[in-house]
Amino acid sequence: MKLVPLAPALILIGIFLAGPIVWSFYGSFTNAALTGVNAKNPEWIGLDNYTALFSDPLFPQSLLLTVVFVLVSAVIGQNFLGLGLALLMRRAHRVVAAVVGVCVVAAWVLPEIVAAFVAYAFFFRDGTLNQLTGLAGLPAVDWLFEHPMLAVILANIWRGTAFSMMVYQAALNDVPKEVTEAAEIDGAGRGQTLLFVTVPMIRRSIATNLMLITLQTLAVFTLIYVMTAGGPTNRSTTLPIMAYEEAFRYSDIGYGTAIAVVMLIIGAAFSLAYIRLLRERKAS
């Protein structure tokens, strides 16, 4: 009887969250297609999609690019830059903090497609970045062709840092000033106070932030597709781009859902690692 009030929520979660996941697992074991005979009557083919995927030479490259994209742009870039901005804005003048906050959050509130076109215009061969470096006498660089992963990583850091900054601002506001002031009176420097006092007190916010930005970045599609479309020569083809290409360009829905299942497993692995880290810290 206690679960009766939760029934509507459980039904909605089952339909809109668990349902697509179950369908993805099922679809990955079929030869479902976007068009043709297999679109109408898909057949069960067992592990054939996974066998083909693990023998596809593009898969290990896409898997590596996805892991690099998540680690560098989210875990390192957004996380540390967001924490740094939150710390600096605590000590900055109110006006300066407000201006910086608006500039950072502006990138986050933009629709993803708009942010992707802005980033494309910035890194394009004749774009804003090369116009600025040209004023300093530096040669133009075709960032999207010569360094596609660097361009999309920097674009994702630019767009997503605001979320980490706001999470850490809220967490730092809950740290009593008396505690940090006591540490400084005892002779601890700012770095030691941050490392041994502040960070342990906000570790739950750090774990939560890492989990959320990791899952968000793992699913980034529009930003990369608008900027590079996975190219050139698949040098920025992450798993979401590969899944889209296989499912909708080559009409192989079963193969595309197999890639999506791999992404689900990677996201679950990251989530379990963060939860385990949080529990170990709590136990210690």
Side-chain angles (χ1 to χ4, degrees):
M1 292 297 290
K2 294 181 179 179
L3 295 178
V4 172
L6 298 176
L10 293 176
I11 292 173
L12 290 175
I13 291 174
I15 294 175
F16 295 106
L17 183 60
I21 294 175
V22 172
W23 187 90
S24 296
F25 274 96
Y26 170 75
S28 67
F29 294 105
T30 70
N31 62 353
L34 198 61
T35 59
V37 177
N38 293 334
K40 186 176 182 180
N41 297 309
E43 296 178 354
W44 181 271
I45 58 172
L47 295 173
D48 286 1
N49 283 326
Y50 291 98
T51 303
L53 178 62
F54 293 133
S55 60
D56 189 337
L58 181 58
F59 174 67
Q61 178 183 334
S62 296
L63 181 61
L64 177 62
L65 291 175
T66 303
V67 173
V68 169
F69 181 65
V70 171
L71 290 178
V72 178
S73 70
V75 177
I76 298 175
Q78 294 179 9
N79 184 52
F80 284 100
L81 187 57
L83 178 60
L85 286 171
L87 289 168
L88 290 174
M89 289 173 69
R90 288 191 81 191
R91 298 178 179 275
H93 189 275
R94 186 173 299 178
V95 176
V96 176
V99 172
V100 173
V102 170
C103 293
V104 175
V105 173
W108 185 63
V109 299
L110 287 174
E112 188 175 7
I113 185 68
V114 177
F117 278 113
V118 171
Y120 177 84
F122 184 76
F123 288 104
F124 186 59
R125 183 178 54 194
D126 297 325
T128 308
L129 180 56
N130 279 332
Q131 296 292 333
L132 294 174
T133 56
L135 295 176
L138 298 175
V141 177
D142 195 341
W143 296 95
L144 300 178
F145 184 82
E146 298 177 21
H147 310 288
M149 278 306 295
L150 177 61
V152 296
I153 285 172
L154 292 175
N156 194 52
I157 292 174
W158 161 71
R159 184 166 189 271
T161 296
F163 180 82
S164 296
M165 182 190 74
M166 290 187 289
V167 169
Y168 289 134
Q169 278 182 314
L172 292 173
N173 287 335
D174 290 336
V175 177
K177 289 185 178 179
E178 295 80 4
V179 176
T180 56
E181 289 174 353
E184 292 176 357
I185 291 174
D186 288 340
R190 289 185 178 180
Q192 292 174 314
T193 303
L194 172 65
L195 188 61
F196 297 111
V197 178
T198 304
V199 169
M201 295 185 71
I202 64 171
R203 63 180 182 277
R204 292 184 180 179
S205 297
I206 294 174
T208 302
N209 178 62
L210 283 172
M211 184 186 301
L212 293 176
I213 63 175
T214 296
L215 296 179
Q216 289 172 353
T217 302
L218 188 62
V220 168
F221 169 79
T222 306
L223 186 70
I224 300 175
Y225 199 76
V226 169
M227 291 181 67
T228 66
T233 60
N234 296 318
R235 287 165 53 197
S236 60
T237 300
T238 56
L239 289 179
I241 302 295
M242 184 181 179
Y244 171 82
E245 294 284 336
E246 295 293 343
F248 297 103
R249 173 168 289 185
Y250 305 118
S251 299
D252 196 343
I253 298 294
Y255 194 74
T257 52
I259 300 172
V261 168
V262 172
M263 292 169 55
L264 282 173
I265 294 172
I266 294 174
F270 272 109
S271 300
L272 290 175
Y274 292 139
I275 293 173
R276 186 179 177 83
L277 177 65
L278 185 60
R279 287 181 176 175
E280 287 178 351
R281 291 280 187 180
K282 186 177 181 180
S284 64

